[in-house]
Structure formats: structure tokens, C-alpha cells
Coordinates of all heavy atoms in Angstrom, one line a residue:
M239 N 3.3 -41.5 108.5 CA 2.7 -40.3 108.0 C 2.7 -39.2 109.0 O 2.3 -39.4 110.2 CB 1.3 -40.6 107.5 CG 0.8 -39.4 106.6 SD -0.7 -39.9 105.6 CE -2.0 -39.8 106.8
K240 N 3.2 -38.1 108.7 CA 3.3 -37.0 109.6 C 2.3 -35.9 109.3 O 1.8 -35.8 108.2 CB 4.7 -36.4 109.6 CG 5.6 -36.9 110.8 CD 6.6 -36.0 111.2 CE 6.9 -36.1 112.6 NZ 7.9 -35.1 113.1
G241 N 2.0 -35.1 110.3 CA 1.1 -33.9 110.1 C -0.4 -34.2 110.3 O -1.2 -33.4 110.0
R242 N -0.7 -35.5 110.7 CA -2.1 -35.8 111.0 C -2.5 -35.2 112.3 O -1.7 -35.2 113.2 CB -2.3 -37.3 111.0 CG -2.5 -37.9 109.6 CD -2.7 -39.4 109.7 NE -1.6 -40.0 110.4 CZ -1.7 -41.0 111.3 NH1 -2.9 -41.5 111.5 NH2 -0.6 -41.6 111.9
K243 N -3.7 -34.6 112.3 CA -4.1 -34.0 113.6 C -5.4 -34.6 114.1 O -6.2 -35.0 113.4 CB -4.4 -32.5 113.4 CG -3.1 -31.7 113.1 CD -3.1 -30.3 113.7 CE -1.7 -29.7 113.9 NZ -1.3 -28.8 112.9
C244 N -5.4 -34.7 115.4 CA -6.6 -35.3 116.1 C -7.8 -34.4 115.9 O -7.7 -33.2 116.1 CB -6.3 -35.4 117.6 SG -7.7 -35.9 118.5
P245 N -8.9 -34.9 115.3 CA -10.1 -34.0 115.1 C -10.7 -33.5 116.3 O -11.5 -32.6 116.2 CB -11.0 -34.9 114.3 CG -10.6 -36.3 114.6 CD -9.1 -36.3 115.0
V246 N -10.4 -34.0 117.5 CA -11.0 -33.6 118.7 C -10.2 -32.5 119.4 O -10.7 -31.4 119.6 CB -11.2 -34.8 119.7 CG1 -11.8 -34.3 121.0 CG2 -12.1 -35.8 119.1
C247 N -8.9 -32.7 119.6 CA -8.1 -31.8 120.4 C -7.1 -31.1 119.5 O -6.5 -30.1 119.9 CB -7.4 -32.5 121.5 SG -6.2 -33.7 121.0
G248 N -6.8 -31.6 118.3 CA -5.9 -30.9 117.4 C -4.4 -31.3 117.6 O -3.6 -30.8 116.9
K249 N -4.2 -32.2 118.5 CA -2.8 -32.7 118.7 C -2.4 -33.5 117.6 O -3.3 -34.1 116.9 CB -2.8 -33.5 120.0 CG -2.5 -32.7 121.3 CD -2.3 -33.7 122.4 CE -2.7 -33.1 123.8 NZ -2.9 -34.2 124.8
E250 N -1.1 -33.7 117.4 CA -0.6 -34.5 116.3 C -0.9 -36.0 116.7 O -0.7 -36.4 117.9 CB 0.9 -34.3 116.2 CG 1.4 -34.8 114.8 CD 2.8 -34.3 114.5 OE1 3.0 -33.0 114.5 OE2 3.6 -35.1 114.2
V251 N -1.2 -36.8 115.7 CA -1.5 -38.2 115.9 C -0.3 -39.0 115.5 O 0.1 -38.9 114.4 CB -2.8 -38.6 115.1 CG1 -3.0 -40.1 115.3 CG2 -4.0 -37.8 115.5
N252 N 0.2 -39.8 116.4 CA 1.3 -40.6 116.2 C 0.9 -42.1 116.2 O -0.1 -42.5 116.9 CB 2.4 -40.5 117.2 CG 3.0 -39.0 117.2 OD1 3.3 -38.5 116.1 ND2 3.0 -38.4 118.3
G253 N 1.5 -42.9 115.4 CA 1.2 -44.4 115.4 C 0.8 -44.8 114.0 O 1.3 -44.3 113.0
R254 N -0.1 -45.9 114.0 CA -0.5 -46.5 112.8 C -1.1 -45.4 111.8 O -1.7 -44.4 112.2 CB -1.5 -47.5 113.0 CG -0.9 -48.9 113.4 CD -1.9 -49.9 113.9 NE -3.3 -49.7 113.3 CZ -4.3 -50.3 113.8 NH1 -4.2 -51.1 114.8 NH2 -5.5 -50.1 113.2
S255 N -0.9 -45.7 110.5 CA -1.4 -44.7 109.5 C -2.9 -44.6 109.5 O -3.4 -43.5 109.1 CB -0.9 -45.1 108.1 OG -1.4 -46.4 107.8
D256 N -3.6 -45.6 110.0 CA -5.1 -45.5 110.0 C -5.6 -44.9 111.3 O -6.8 -44.9 111.5 CB -5.7 -46.8 109.6 CG -5.4 -47.9 110.6 OD1 -4.4 -47.7 111.4 OD2 -6.1 -48.9 110.5
K257 N -4.7 -44.6 112.2 CA -5.1 -44.1 113.5 C -5.6 -42.6 113.3 O -5.0 -41.8 112.7 CB -3.9 -44.1 114.5 CG -4.3 -43.9 115.9 CD -3.1 -44.1 116.8 CE -3.4 -43.6 118.2 NZ -2.2 -43.4 119.0
R258 N -6.8 -42.3 113.8 CA -7.4 -41.0 113.6 C -7.3 -40.1 114.8 O -7.3 -38.9 114.7 CB -8.8 -41.1 113.2 CG -9.0 -41.7 111.9 CD -10.5 -41.9 111.6 NE -11.2 -40.6 111.6 CZ -12.5 -40.4 111.6 NH1 -13.3 -41.5 111.6 NH2 -13.0 -39.2 111.6
F259 N -7.2 -40.7 116.0 CA -7.2 -39.8 117.2 C -5.9 -40.0 118.0 O -5.3 -41.0 118.0 CB -8.4 -40.2 118.1 CG -9.7 -40.1 117.3 CD1 -10.3 -41.3 116.7 CD2 -10.4 -38.9 117.2 CE1 -11.5 -41.2 116.0 CE2 -11.5 -38.8 116.5 CZ -12.1 -40.0 115.9
C260 N -5.6 -38.9 118.8 CA -4.4 -39.0 119.5 C -4.5 -39.9 120.7 O -3.5 -40.5 121.2 CB -4.0 -37.6 120.0 SG -5.1 -37.0 121.3
S261 N -5.7 -40.1 121.2 CA -5.8 -41.0 122.4 C -7.2 -41.7 122.4 O -8.1 -41.3 121.7 CB -5.7 -40.1 123.7 OG -6.8 -39.2 123.7
D262 N -7.3 -42.7 123.3 CA -8.6 -43.3 123.5 C -9.7 -42.3 124.0 O -10.8 -42.4 123.6 CB -8.5 -44.5 124.5 CG -7.9 -45.7 123.9 OD1 -7.8 -45.8 122.7 OD2 -7.4 -46.6 124.7
E263 N -9.3 -41.4 124.8 CA -10.2 -40.4 125.4 C -10.8 -39.6 124.2 O -12.0 -39.4 124.1 CB -9.5 -39.4 126.3 CG -9.2 -40.0 127.7 CD -8.0 -40.8 127.7 OE1 -7.2 -40.7 126.8 OE2 -7.9 -41.7 128.6
C264 N -10.0 -39.1 123.3 CA -10.5 -38.4 122.1 C -11.3 -39.2 121.2 O -12.4 -38.8 120.8 CB -9.3 -37.8 121.3 SG -8.6 -36.3 122.1
R265 N -10.9 -40.5 121.0 CA -11.7 -41.4 120.2 C -13.1 -41.6 120.8 O -14.1 -41.5 120.1 CB -11.0 -42.7 120.0 CG -11.7 -43.7 119.1 CD -10.8 -44.9 118.9 NE -10.4 -45.5 120.2 CZ -11.3 -46.3 120.9 NH1 -12.5 -46.6 120.5 NH2 -10.9 -46.8 122.0
I266 N -13.1 -41.9 122.1 CA -14.4 -42.2 122.8 C -15.3 -40.9 122.8 O -16.5 -41.0 122.5 CB -14.1 -42.7 124.2 CG1 -13.6 -44.1 124.1 CG2 -15.4 -42.7 125.0 CD1 -12.9 -44.6 125.4
F267 N -14.6 -39.7 123.0 CA -15.4 -38.5 123.0 C -16.0 -38.2 121.7 O -17.2 -37.9 121.6 CB -14.4 -37.3 123.4 CG -15.1 -36.0 123.4 CD1 -15.8 -35.5 124.5 CD2 -15.1 -35.2 122.2 CE1 -16.4 -34.3 124.5 CE2 -15.7 -34.0 122.2 CZ -16.4 -33.5 123.3
Y268 N -15.2 -38.5 120.6 CA -15.7 -38.2 119.3 C -16.9 -39.2 118.9 O -17.9 -38.7 118.5 CB -14.6 -38.5 118.3 CG -14.9 -38.2 116.8 CD1 -14.9 -36.9 116.3 CD2 -15.3 -39.3 116.0 CE1 -15.2 -36.7 115.0 CE2 -15.7 -39.0 114.7 CZ -15.6 -37.7 114.2 OH -16.0 -37.5 112.9
N269 N -16.7 -40.5 119.3 CA -17.8 -41.4 119.0 C -19.0 -41.1 119.8 O -20.2 -41.3 119.3 CB -17.3 -42.9 119.2 CG -16.3 -43.3 118.1 OD1 -16.4 -42.8 117.0 ND2 -15.4 -44.1 118.5
N270 N -18.9 -40.7 121.0 CA -20.0 -40.4 121.9 C -20.8 -39.2 121.3 O -22.0 -39.2 121.2 CB -19.6 -40.1 123.3 CG -19.3 -41.4 124.1 OD1 -19.7 -42.5 123.6 ND2 -18.7 -41.3 125.2
S271 N -20.0 -38.2 120.9 CA -20.7 -37.0 120.4 C -21.3 -37.2 119.1 O -22.4 -36.7 118.8 CB -19.7 -35.8 120.3 OG -18.7 -36.1 119.5
L272 N -20.7 -38.2 118.3 CA -21.4 -38.6 117.0 C -22.7 -39.2 117.3 O -23.7 -38.9 116.6 CB -20.4 -39.5 116.3 CG -20.5 -39.6 114.8 CD1 -20.0 -38.3 114.2 CD2 -19.7 -40.8 114.3
G273 N -22.7 -40.1 118.3 CA -24.0 -40.8 118.7 C -25.0 -39.7 119.2 O -26.2 -39.9 118.9
R274 N -24.5 -38.7 119.9 CA -25.4 -37.7 120.4 C -26.1 -36.9 119.2 O -27.3 -36.7 119.2 CB -24.7 -36.7 121.3 CG -25.0 -36.8 122.8 CD -24.6 -35.6 123.5 NE -23.2 -35.3 123.4 CZ -22.3 -35.9 124.2 NH1 -22.7 -36.9 125.0 NH2 -21.0 -35.7 124.1
T275 N -25.3 -36.5 118.2 CA -25.9 -35.8 117.1 C -26.8 -36.7 116.3 O -27.8 -36.2 115.8 CB -24.8 -35.2 116.2 OG1 -23.9 -36.2 115.8 CG2 -24.0 -34.1 116.9
R276 N -26.4 -38.0 116.2 CA -27.3 -38.9 115.5 C -28.6 -39.0 116.2 O -29.7 -39.0 115.6 CB -26.6 -40.3 115.4 CG -26.3 -40.7 114.0 CD -25.7 -42.0 113.9 NE -24.5 -42.0 113.2 CZ -23.4 -42.7 113.4 NH1 -23.4 -43.5 114.5 NH2 -22.4 -42.6 112.7
R277 N -28.5 -39.2 117.5 CA -29.8 -39.3 118.3 C -30.6 -38.0 118.2 O -31.8 -38.1 118.1 CB -29.4 -39.6 119.8 CG -29.2 -41.1 120.1 CD -29.2 -41.3 121.5 NE -28.1 -40.7 122.2 CZ -26.8 -41.1 122.3 NH1 -26.5 -42.3 121.7 NH2 -25.9 -40.4 123.0
A278 N -29.9 -36.9 118.2 CA -30.7 -35.6 118.1 C -31.4 -35.5 116.8 O -32.5 -35.1 116.7 CB -29.7 -34.4 118.3
R279 N -30.6 -36.0 115.7 CA -31.2 -35.9 114.4 C -32.4 -36.9 114.3 O -33.5 -36.5 113.7 CB -30.2 -36.3 113.4 CG -30.5 -35.9 112.0 CD -29.4 -36.1 111.0 NE -28.8 -37.4 111.1 CZ -27.5 -37.6 111.0 NH1 -26.6 -36.6 110.9 NH2 -27.0 -38.8 111.1
N280 N -32.3 -38.1 114.9 CA -33.4 -39.0 114.9 C -34.6 -38.5 115.6 O -35.7 -38.6 115.1 CB -33.0 -40.3 115.6 CG -32.0 -41.2 114.7 OD1 -31.9 -40.9 113.5 ND2 -31.4 -42.2 115.2
R281 N -34.3 -37.8 116.8 CA -35.4 -37.2 117.5 C -36.1 -36.2 116.7 O -37.4 -36.1 116.6 CB -34.9 -36.5 118.8 CG -35.2 -37.3 120.1 CD -35.1 -36.4 121.3 NE -33.8 -35.8 121.4 CZ -32.7 -36.3 121.8 NH1 -32.7 -37.6 122.2 NH2 -31.5 -35.7 121.9
K282 N -35.3 -35.3 116.0 CA -35.9 -34.3 115.1 C -36.8 -34.9 114.0 O -37.9 -34.5 113.8 CB -34.8 -33.5 114.5 CG -35.0 -32.0 114.4 CD -33.8 -31.3 113.9 CE -34.1 -30.0 113.4 NZ -32.9 -29.4 112.8
Q283 N -36.3 -36.0 113.4 CA -37.0 -36.6 112.3 C -38.3 -37.3 112.8 O -39.3 -37.2 112.2 CB -36.1 -37.7 111.6 CG -35.1 -37.0 110.7 CD -34.1 -38.0 110.2 OE1 -34.0 -39.1 110.7 NE2 -33.4 -37.7 109.1
L284 N -38.2 -37.9 114.0 CA -39.3 -38.5 114.6 C -40.4 -37.5 114.9 O -41.6 -37.7 114.7 CB -39.0 -39.3 115.9 CG -38.4 -40.7 115.7 CD1 -38.0 -41.2 117.1 CD2 -39.4 -41.6 115.1
G285 N -39.9 -36.3 115.4 CA -40.9 -35.2 115.7 C -41.6 -34.8 114.4 O -42.8 -34.6 114.4
A286 N -40.9 -34.7 113.3 CA -41.5 -34.2 112.1 C -42.5 -35.3 111.6 O -43.6 -34.9 111.1 CB -40.4 -34.1 111.0
I287 N -42.1 -36.6 111.7 CA -43.0 -37.7 111.3 C -44.3 -37.6 112.1 O -45.4 -37.7 111.6 CB -42.3 -39.0 111.4 CG1 -41.2 -39.1 110.3 CG2 -43.3 -40.2 111.3 CD1 -40.3 -40.3 110.5
R288 N -44.1 -37.4 113.5 CA -45.2 -37.4 114.4 C -46.2 -36.3 114.0 O -47.4 -36.5 114.0 CB -44.7 -37.3 115.8 CG -45.6 -37.9 116.8 CD -45.0 -37.9 118.2 NE -43.9 -38.8 118.3 CZ -42.8 -38.6 119.0 NH1 -42.6 -37.4 119.6 NH2 -41.8 -39.5 119.1
S289 N -45.6 -35.1 113.7 CA -46.5 -34.0 113.4 C -47.2 -34.2 112.0 O -48.3 -33.8 111.9 CB -45.8 -32.6 113.4 OG -44.9 -32.5 112.3
N290 N -46.5 -34.9 111.1 CA -47.2 -35.2 109.8 C -48.3 -36.2 110.1 O -49.4 -36.0 109.5 CB -46.2 -35.9 108.9 CG -45.3 -34.9 108.2 OD1 -45.6 -33.8 108.1 ND2 -44.2 -35.4 107.6
I291 N -48.1 -37.2 110.9 CA -49.2 -38.1 111.3 C -50.4 -37.4 111.9 O -51.5 -37.6 111.5 CB -48.7 -39.2 112.2 CG1 -47.7 -40.2 111.4 CG2 -49.8 -40.1 112.8 CD1 -47.0 -41.2 112.3
M292 N -50.1 -36.5 112.8 CA -51.1 -35.7 113.5 C -51.9 -34.9 112.5 O -53.2 -34.8 112.6 CB -50.6 -34.9 114.6 CG -50.4 -35.6 115.9 SD -49.2 -34.8 117.0 CE -50.1 -33.4 117.4
E293 N -51.2 -34.3 111.5 CA -51.9 -33.5 110.5 C -52.8 -34.4 109.6 O -53.9 -34.0 109.3 CB -50.8 -32.8 109.6 CG -51.4 -31.6 108.9 CD -50.3 -30.7 108.4 OE1 -49.4 -30.4 109.3 OE2 -50.2 -30.4 107.3
L294 N -52.3 -35.6 109.3 CA -53.1 -36.5 108.5 C -54.3 -36.9 109.3 O -55.4 -37.0 108.7 CB -52.2 -37.7 108.1 CG -51.2 -37.5 107.0 CD1 -50.4 -38.8 106.8 CD2 -51.9 -37.2 105.7
E295 N -54.1 -37.2 110.6 CA -55.3 -37.6 111.4 C -56.3 -36.5 111.5 O -57.5 -36.7 111.4 CB -54.8 -38.0 112.8 CG -54.2 -39.4 112.8 CD -53.6 -39.7 114.1 OE1 -53.5 -38.8 115.0 OE2 -53.3 -40.9 114.3
R296 N -55.8 -35.2 111.6 CA -56.7 -34.1 111.6 C -57.5 -34.0 110.3 O -58.7 -33.8 110.3 CB -56.0 -32.8 111.8 CG -55.9 -32.4 113.3 CD -55.5 -30.9 113.4 NE -54.2 -30.7 112.9 CZ -53.1 -30.8 113.6 NH1 -53.2 -31.2 114.9 NH2 -51.9 -30.5 113.1
A297 N -56.8 -34.2 109.2 CA -57.4 -34.2 107.8 C -58.4 -35.3 107.7 O -59.5 -35.0 107.2 CB -56.3 -34.3 106.8
D298 N -58.1 -36.5 108.2 CA -59.0 -37.6 108.2 C -60.2 -37.3 109.0 O -61.4 -37.5 108.6 CB -58.3 -38.8 108.9 CG -57.7 -39.8 107.8 OD1 -57.9 -39.4 106.6 OD2 -57.2 -40.8 108.2
A299 N -60.1 -36.7 110.2 CA -61.2 -36.3 111.1 C -62.1 -35.3 110.3 O -63.3 -35.4 110.4 CB -60.7 -35.8 112.4
K300 N -61.5 -34.3 109.7 CA -62.2 -33.3 109.0 C -63.1 -34.0 107.8 O -64.2 -33.7 107.6 CB -61.3 -32.3 108.3 CG -61.0 -31.1 109.3 CD -60.2 -30.1 108.5 CE -59.6 -29.1 109.5 NZ -58.5 -28.3 108.8
F301 N -62.4 -34.9 107.1 CA -63.0 -35.6 106.0 C -64.2 -36.4 106.6 O -65.3 -36.4 106.0 CB -62.0 -36.5 105.4 CG -62.6 -37.3 104.2 CD1 -62.9 -36.6 103.0 CD2 -62.7 -38.7 104.2 CE1 -63.4 -37.3 101.9 CE2 -63.1 -39.3 103.1 CZ -63.5 -38.6 102.0
M302 N -64.0 -37.1 107.7 CA -65.1 -37.9 108.3 C -66.3 -37.0 108.7 O -67.4 -37.3 108.5 CB -64.6 -38.7 109.5 CG -63.7 -39.9 109.2 SD -64.4 -41.0 108.0 CE -65.7 -41.8 109.0
L303 N -65.9 -35.8 109.3 CA -67.0 -34.9 109.7 C -67.8 -34.4 108.4 O -69.0 -34.3 108.5 CB -66.4 -33.7 110.4 CG -66.0 -33.9 111.8 CD1 -65.3 -32.7 112.4 CD2 -67.3 -34.2 112.6
K304 N -67.1 -34.2 107.3 CA -67.7 -33.8 106.1 C -68.7 -34.8 105.6 O -69.9 -34.5 105.3 CB -66.7 -33.5 105.0 CG -66.5 -32.1 104.7 CD -65.6 -31.9 103.5 CE -65.0 -30.5 103.5 NZ -63.8 -30.4 102.7
I305 N -68.2 -36.1 105.6 CA -69.1 -37.2 105.2 C -70.3 -37.3 106.1 O -71.4 -37.5 105.6 CB -68.3 -38.5 105.2 CG1 -67.3 -38.5 104.0 CG2 -69.2 -39.7 105.1 CD1 -66.4 -39.7 104.0
L306 N -70.1 -37.2 107.4 CA -71.2 -37.3 108.4 C -72.2 -36.2 108.2 O -73.4 -36.5 108.2 CB -70.7 -37.3 109.8 CG -70.0 -38.6 110.3 CD1 -69.5 -38.4 111.7 CD2 -71.1 -39.7 110.3
S307 N -71.7 -35.0 107.9 CA -72.7 -33.9 107.7 C -73.4 -34.1 106.4 O -74.6 -33.8 106.3 CB -72.0 -32.5 107.8 OG -71.3 -32.2 106.6
W308 N -72.7 -34.6 105.4 CA -73.4 -34.9 104.1 C -74.5 -35.9 104.3 O -75.6 -35.8 103.8 CB -72.3 -35.4 103.1 CG -72.9 -35.6 101.8 CD1 -73.1 -34.6 100.8 CD2 -73.2 -36.8 101.2 NE1 -73.6 -35.2 99.7 CE2 -73.7 -36.6 99.9 CE3 -73.2 -38.1 101.6 CZ2 -74.1 -37.6 99.0 CZ3 -73.6 -39.1 100.8 CH2 -74.1 -38.9 99.5
I309 N -74.1 -37.0 105.1 CA -75.1 -38.1 105.3 C -76.3 -37.5 106.1 O -77.5 -37.8 105.7 CB -74.5 -39.2 106.1 CG1 -73.5 -40.0 105.2 CG2 -75.5 -40.2 106.7 CD1 -72.7 -41.0 105.9
S310 N -76.1 -36.7 107.1 CA -77.2 -36.1 107.8 C -78.1 -35.2 107.0 O -79.3 -35.2 107.1 CB -76.7 -35.4 109.1 OG -76.1 -34.2 108.8
K311 N -77.4 -34.5 106.1 CA -78.2 -33.6 105.1 C -79.1 -34.5 104.3 O -80.3 -34.2 104.1 CB -77.2 -32.9 104.2 CG -77.0 -31.4 104.7 CD -76.0 -30.8 103.7 CE -75.2 -29.7 104.5 NZ -74.0 -29.3 103.8
V312 N -78.5 -35.6 103.7 CA -79.3 -36.5 102.9 C -80.5 -37.1 103.7 O -81.6 -37.1 103.2 CB -78.4 -37.7 102.4 CG1 -79.3 -38.8 101.7 CG2 -77.4 -37.2 101.4
F313 N -80.2 -37.5 104.9 CA -81.3 -38.0 105.8 C -82.4 -36.9 106.0 O -83.6 -37.2 106.0 CB -80.8 -38.5 107.1 CG -80.4 -40.0 107.0 CD1 -79.1 -40.3 106.9 CD2 -81.4 -40.9 107.0 CE1 -78.7 -41.7 106.9 CE2 -81.1 -42.3 106.9 CZ -79.7 -42.6 106.8
R314 N -81.9 -35.7 106.2 CA -82.9 -34.6 106.4 C -83.8 -34.4 105.2 O -85.0 -34.3 105.3 CB -82.1 -33.3 106.7 CG -82.7 -32.6 108.0 CD -81.9 -31.4 108.3 NE -80.5 -31.7 108.7 CZ -79.4 -31.0 108.5 NH1 -79.5 -29.8 107.9 NH2 -78.3 -31.4 108.9
V315 N -83.1 -34.4 104.0 CA -83.9 -34.3 102.8 C -84.9 -35.4 102.6 O -86.1 -35.2 102.3 CB -82.9 -34.2 101.6 CG1 -83.7 -34.4 100.3 CG2 -82.1 -33.0 101.6
I316 N -84.4 -36.7 102.9 CA -85.3 -37.8 102.7 C -86.5 -37.7 103.7 O -87.6 -37.9 103.3 CB -84.5 -39.1 103.0 CG1 -83.5 -39.4 101.8 CG2 -85.4 -40.3 103.1 CD1 -82.6 -40.5 102.0
S317 N -86.2 -37.4 105.0 CA -87.2 -37.3 106.0 C -88.2 -36.2 105.6 O -89.4 -36.3 105.8 CB -86.7 -37.2 107.4 OG -86.1 -35.9 107.5
S318 N -87.7 -35.1 105.0 CA -88.7 -34.0 104.7 C -89.5 -34.4 103.5 O -90.7 -34.1 103.5 CB -87.9 -32.7 104.4 OG -87.2 -32.9 103.2
I319 N -89.0 -35.3 102.6 CA -89.8 -35.8 101.5 C -90.9 -36.7 102.1 O -92.1 -36.5 101.7 CB -88.9 -36.6 100.5 CG1 -88.0 -35.6 99.7 CG2 -89.8 -37.4 99.5 CD1 -87.0 -36.3 98.9
F320 N -90.6 -37.5 103.0 CA -91.6 -38.4 103.6 C -92.6 -37.6 104.3 O -93.8 -37.9 104.3 CB -90.9 -39.4 104.6 CG -90.5 -40.7 103.8 CD1 -89.1 -40.9 103.5 CD2 -91.4 -41.6 103.4 CE1 -88.7 -42.0 102.8 CE2 -91.0 -42.8 102.7 CZ -89.6 -42.9 102.4
K321 N -92.2 -36.6 105.1 CA -93.1 -35.7 105.8 C -94.1 -35.1 104.8 O -95.3 -35.0 105.1 CB -92.3 -34.7 106.5 CG -92.8 -34.3 107.9 CD -91.8 -33.4 108.5 CE -92.5 -32.4 109.5 NZ -91.5 -31.4 109.9
F322 N -93.6 -34.6 103.7 CA -94.3 -33.9 102.7 C -95.4 -34.8 102.2 O -96.6 -34.5 102.1 CB -93.4 -33.4 101.6 CG -94.1 -32.7 100.5 CD1 -94.7 -31.5 100.7 CD2 -94.2 -33.3 99.2 CE1 -95.3 -30.8 99.6 CE2 -94.8 -32.7 98.2 CZ -95.4 -31.4 98.4
R323 N -95.0 -36.1 101.9 CA -95.9 -37.1 101.4 C -97.0 -37.4 102.4 O -98.2 -37.5 102.0 CB -95.2 -38.4 101.1 CG -94.6 -38.5 99.7 CD -94.2 -39.9 99.5 NE -93.6 -40.2 98.2 CZ -93.0 -41.3 97.9 NH1 -92.9 -42.3 98.8 NH2 -92.5 -41.5 96.7
N324 N -96.6 -37.6 103.7 CA -97.6 -37.9 104.7 C -98.6 -36.8 104.9 O -99.8 -37.0 105.1 CB -96.9 -38.2 106.0 CG -96.2 -39.5 106.0 OD1 -96.5 -40.4 105.2 ND2 -95.2 -39.7 106.9
E325 N -98.1 -35.5 104.8 CA -99.0 -34.4 104.9 C -100.1 -34.3 103.8 O -101.2 -33.9 104.0 CB -98.2 -33.1 105.0 CG -97.7 -32.9 106.4 CD -96.6 -31.8 106.4 OE1 -96.3 -31.2 105.3 OE2 -96.0 -31.5 107.4
R326 N -99.7 -34.8 102.6 CA -100.5 -34.7 101.4 C -101.6 -35.8 101.5 O -102.7 -35.6 100.9 CB -99.8 -34.8 100.1 CG -99.1 -33.5 99.8 CD -98.3 -33.6 98.5 NE -99.2 -34.0 97.4 CZ -98.7 -34.3 96.2 NH1 -97.4 -34.4 96.0 NH2 -99.5 -34.6 95.2
E327 N -101.3 -36.9 102.1 CA -102.3 -38.0 102.1 C -103.4 -37.8 103.1 O -103.2 -37.2 104.1 CB -101.5 -39.3 102.5 CG -100.8 -39.9 101.3 CD -99.9 -41.1 101.6 OE1 -99.8 -41.5 102.8 OE2 -99.1 -41.5 100.7
Ligands
ZN156 ZN1 -7.0 -35.7 120.7

């Protein structure tokens, strides 16, 4: 098959029909850069996941604070009721 071009350097590729690159250098370069972009993509995704987790943890912390403040309000009400009763007796 003629007219195949190396995706790295653009030179014509000679040899077996399933050969994609003109040389080992181009093949290795291509595979290395593929690994780099994959790693970069993984890093990006990990960063997004990490920030999602942090946001969830913040939401959890806010929720816990809400519950705690609610509990303390309830205790305040209960203790004021007891105080009121003690004062009347
Ligand atoms: Zn090449």
C-alpha cells in the first residue's frame, strides 16, 4: 500500500501494510506522548474527583454543624423549661 504517512513526522511509511510509523523513533515518540496525554487526563480527572470529595466533606461538615446547633438549641429550651419549673417551686 502506498501513500501512507507517518503520523509523527509525515514521512512515507514503507513495509508491512499494518505498519503505522516510518521508524522505531517515531513509534516510540508517539506512544510516549500518548502516555503523557493519558496521564495528564488522569491527573485532571483525579483533580476534579478530589475537589468533588472536598466539596462533599464541606457540605457534610456544614450539615453536622447544623445538627449540633439544633441539638444545642433543644438543650437550651429544655434547660430553660427546667429553670422555669425550679423558679416556680
Ligand atoms: Zn516518522
